Amino acid sequence: GIGADGLVLGLPGSNGADLRMLLHNADGSIAEMSGNGIRCLAQAHAMAHRTGATSLEIDTTGGRRQVEIDSDGPNAEASVNMGPVGPGPGVDDRILAETVGSLVGTADLGNPHLVLVVDDLAAVDIGELGARYEALYPQGINVEWVAADPNNGNNLDMLVWERGAGVTQACGTGATAAAFLAHEWGLVEQQVNVRMPGGEVQVVANEHPLLIGRTDYVASIELST
């Protein structure tokens, strides 16, 4: 709704795409990709055009993504093929010096991510660390702190700092990056429930990860210009 972390615009597609997604962060900057945003856009398109369950090809600044949505109603489930995972920009030496003995890495999902494994998420000062770590990268970076569930290899808890928005409740590309790296590190199984303050998504952490989650319609809002 109004006051969210970003503004998603659904524009006409070209070259075989059904739509083109343009995403503005809360600070007005452009984000290359949003896993949760693209799911919301798919639902809005399905509802507006009464498509029923459908498959959509959506272009983003970070590349084309395929979204499957199971309903054109107000409550649906959407699955996004997130494309290949790149290595990311690398971990800054100053972060490595602060995190000796901890697992830390970067990944690229069309946008860059820094993922850090911690024992206790409650001890993380997201606002201070997120702003400081982001500033170490000329193009900025999204930062995710994760803790694996020692009793269940299918669960991963996560907190996130997003470029252009700061502390947010959830991040789809961040959840994908975190699940992918955590699986590579042997912390979780290939199919992972990523639990965030704003809700839970499922990630299938294979070569082309799938991001799966609910999309819930909130309201229609008219703005005068």
Side-chain angles (χ1 to χ4, degrees):
I2 295 296
D5 303 319
L7 173 65
V8 177
L9 301 178
L11 305 174
S14 61
N15 299 319
D18 297 287
L19 290 167
R20 179 167 66 91
M21 181 176 81
L22 181 62
L23 172 61
H24 292 271
N25 290 317
D27 68 355
S29 61
I30 298 292
E32 301 94 340
M33 172 59 186
S34 169
N36 291 335
I38 203 170
R39 293 190 301 107
C40 292
L41 176 59
Q43 184 193 31
H45 178 84
M47 289 181 66
H49 296 276
R50 301 182 182 273
T51 63
T54 190
S55 175
L56 298 170
E57 297 283 340
I58 302 178
D59 280 334
T60 76
T61 307
R64 183 167 294 185
R65 302 290 185 267
Q66 182 179 26
V67 186
E68 306 278 346
I69 190 161
D70 68 358
S71 167
D72 61 9
N75 307 107
E77 182 174 271
S79 171
V80 187
N81 183 325
M82 298 293 284
V85 182
V91 182
D92 186 276
D93 289 342
R94 287 159 288 189
I95 298 173
L96 288 174
E98 289 184 14
T99 57
V100 173
S102 300
L103 290 169
V104 56
T106 63
D108 190 284
L109 272 298
N111 57 359
H113 294 268
L114 170 70
V115 179
L116 306 101
V117 177
V118 298
D119 294 326
D120 182 10
L121 288 176
V124 176
D125 186 341
I126 314 172
E128 191 275 328
L129 289 175
R132 185 154 55 83
Y133 288 171
E134 180 185 351
L136 296 176
Y137 292 83
Q139 304 302 316
I141 201 163
N142 300 287
V143 188
E144 290 85 32
W145 293 266
V146 298
D149 185 339
N151 301 312
N152 188 334
N154 294 114
N155 292 332
L156 189 68
D157 293 302
M158 186 183 100
L159 299 174
V160 60
W161 169 277
E162 293 192 64
R163 290 187 306 169
V167 178
T168 62
Q169 297 298 300
C171 176
T173 53
T176 306
F180 182 86
L181 289 178
H183 177 60
E184 281 201 332
W185 292 330
L187 300 178
V188 294
E189 304 296 334
Q190 189 172 62
Q191 185 157 334
V192 189
N193 302 312
V194 183
R195 304 182 298 198
M196 300 165 282
E200 182 175 306
V201 294
Q202 289 73 50
V203 177
V204 181
N206 53 26
E207 187 177 352
H208 288 71
L210 291 177
L211 172 68
I212 306 163
R214 285 171 51 98
T215 58
D216 296 311
Y217 169 80
V218 175
S220 290
I221 300 165
E222 291 186 12
L223 300 177
S224 59
T225 58

